[in-house]
Amino acid sequence: MNVLLLPIATLLTAYLLGSVSGSLLLGRWRGVDVRTQGSGNAGGTNAFRTQGLSFALGVVVIDIGKGALAAWLALRWVPGWALAAAALAVVGHVWPLWHGFRGGKGAATAVGGLLILWPLAVLPLLAVWLFTLTLTGYVGLATVLAALALPLWALVTQADLAHTVFAVGIALYLVFTHRSNLQRLRQGCESRFEKARLWHRWSSRS
């Protein structure tokens, strides 16, 4: 019975940890719900736009931390289920039980899981994210391209089947959660951080 119950308990714990939304938790202390402001998303980007840098940093720390904690606990309890636990933490962030199933988009929580289970993948994904952000100023596009780079990293490094399936699944899931960003990009009305467009600023000075 324990052989069956322990994986179930681990996956449930991962989902419940993922359901702890950083922006909504900190927002309660501040008396705000970021889902009623800006884009209406409970993620770090909207937290930054509506509440400022210090608030957003707290959100990111919590959202990365819960993904890392879910993965770490799974490694200790049922190592063979650790990737699934990391994935469920991401699902919990997007559809949080504690917050009416209205959460964020899952990128930071996915990074937390990767930091524990696949740390070498984080640097190339961060490089793709930073390059895209500084080139275009679009956070959503940067996140989508970084997510799509994960299966490529799995291919280049000849990752095993479990990691490859995880990479493809996370990439597709993050594309799905960022579908509104992609739609706004096509319509030409996606918000962007002009200050982040370092390549544009450098080229305009030369």
Side-chain angles (χ1 to χ4, degrees):
M1 184 65 68
N2 288 338
V3 174
L4 179 62
L5 288 180
L6 191 54
I8 293 175
T10 301
L11 296 178
L12 179 60
T13 299
Y15 169 76
L16 294 178
L17 282 172
S19 292
V20 179
S21 172
S23 64
L24 299 179
L25 181 65
L26 296 180
R28 285 185 178 178
W29 292 346
R30 185 174 286 195
V32 299
D33 186 341
V34 298
R35 295 175 299 181
T36 65
Q37 302 176 3
S39 67
N41 183 259
T45 302
N46 193 42
F48 174 71
R49 287 195 177 110
T50 61
Q51 301 299 317
L53 179 60
S54 60
F55 184 92
L57 286 176
V59 169
V60 170
V61 168
I62 291 173
D63 290 347
I64 290 178
K66 68 187 183 184
L69 179 58
W72 182 79
L73 289 175
L75 276 180
R76 289 179 60 87
W77 295 344
V78 279
W81 291 88
L83 289 169
L88 273 177
V90 176
V91 172
H93 178 81
V94 178
W95 290 303
L97 176 65
W98 316 122
H99 306 288
F101 301 100
R102 290 180 55 210
K105 297 182 179 179
T109 305
V111 169
L114 287 173
L115 285 172
I116 300 298
L117 303 177
W118 205 355
L120 289 180
V122 175
L123 285 179
L125 301 191
L126 180 61
V128 171
W129 188 84
L130 285 173
F131 177 77
T132 306
L133 179 63
T134 55
L135 181 65
T136 68
Y138 293 122
V139 178
L141 178 62
T143 304
V144 167
L145 291 182
L148 292 175
L150 185 57
L152 180 60
W153 177 255
L155 178 64
V156 169
T157 59
Q158 298 181 332
D160 59 32
L161 179 60
H163 283 79
T164 301
V165 170
F166 175 81
V168 173
I170 287 295
L172 293 177
Y173 193 68
L174 292 182
V175 170
F176 171 75
T177 60
H178 286 80
R179 62 194 184 280
S180 60
N181 301 82
L182 298 175
Q183 183 178 4
R184 289 193 296 269
L185 274 172
R186 288 194 298 267
Q187 296 171 345
C189 57
E190 172 73 329
S191 298
R192 67 168 146 196
F193 289 116
E194 288 294 341
K195 291 183 179 180
R197 298 179 66 196
L198 299 181
W199 294 96
H200 176 74
R201 289 160 60 185
W202 291 336
S203 63
S204 62
R205 291 175 183 175
S206 60

